[in-house]
Amino acid sequence: MTDTGYELNDTDTVTVERQFTVAGRDRTVVVNNPQRVYHKPVAVGNRTVTGGVFATASTPAINVAGSPRNPIAEESHRELLGRFQSNLGVADTATVENVTTHEAVMLGSQTTVTQFETNLSVDGERREFAIYVTTARAGGDIVVAIGGHPTAFADERVAIMRLIYAVEAGGR
């Protein structure tokens, strides 16, 4: 991550709970997802601001009545953003607009990256922010990558795409 300027800022666990119906019986699956969050500090004048944020999380498949199930397998990119938004400072996904999609490679597989835009508070100031969300499978696991940057730092889109490409199995 050092060649992009992003530094590990936090490791955390995000808990996902989901109901599955298998053989006519409801089952609740609870999965703890390891998450790593990276920040890119940028000097602006005489202060340092957040130039970008990148987070990865890995959700394992769980065996439910003899069948592997992944609790986030069918979630949209907007739903995943809602689930993992806390580290990006997005308080309400209702204010997030879907802008476009891009193609990328993550974990050796072609994947679609959805780009969203919103206004949020970064370093105490309201800013327009671009957010990118994608997923890829690694065996039974689903790895989620979410990155974002103030739109004023448009070159960070390239860094986010490089980070997506560099994601390793296990969400690192």
Side-chain angles (χ1 to χ4, degrees):
M1 301 289 175
T2 57
D3 63 334
T4 61
Y6 283 74
E7 303 167 353
L8 183 62
N9 185 57
D10 189 24
T11 56
D12 198 1
T13 301
V14 176
T15 301
V16 174
E17 184 173 320
R18 178 125 184 233
Q19 291 274 18
F20 288 102
T21 302
V22 178
R25 297 189 55 159
D26 289 337
R27 306 273 189 209
T28 300
V29 173
V30 178
V31 179
N32 291 318
N33 306 280
Q35 178 175 261
R36 299 171 67 88
V37 181
Y38 302 84
H39 284 194
K40 180 176 184 177
V42 174
V44 176
N46 61 355
R47 64 188 186 121
T48 300
V49 298
T50 302
V53 178
F54 186 76
T56 60
S58 181
T59 302
I62 301 298
N63 194 0
V64 179
S67 177
R69 302 290 175 117
N70 194 301
I72 67 166
E74 297 177 18
E75 291 189 4
S76 70
H77 286 172
R78 180 177 291 279
E79 290 169 321
L80 291 169
L81 176 59
R83 183 175 301 285
F84 295 101
Q85 69 192 18
S86 63
N87 286 303
L88 294 172
V90 179
D92 181 7
T93 57
T95 64
V96 175
E97 295 180 23
N98 185 339
V99 177
T100 189
T101 60
H102 310 276
E103 294 302 311
V105 174
M106 186 166 85
L107 299 172
S109 298
Q110 189 76 22
T111 185
T112 299
V113 179
T114 302
Q115 179 181 342
F116 299 94
E117 286 192 3
T118 190
N119 287 304
L120 54 92
S121 182
V122 179
D123 303 317
E125 296 179 23
R126 293 295 289 173
R127 297 176 189 240
E128 287 185 22
F129 212 77
I131 301 170
Y132 308 86
V133 181
T134 194
T135 61
R137 289 192 180 269
D141 293 359
I142 294 179
V143 178
V144 178
I146 300 177
H149 61 83
T151 57
F153 301 139
D155 291 345
E156 284 308 304
R157 178 184 172 278
V158 173
I160 296 290
M161 293 301 155
R162 287 179 61 207
L163 291 168
I164 288 170
Y165 181 80
V167 169
E168 299 173 3
R172 294 186 297 252

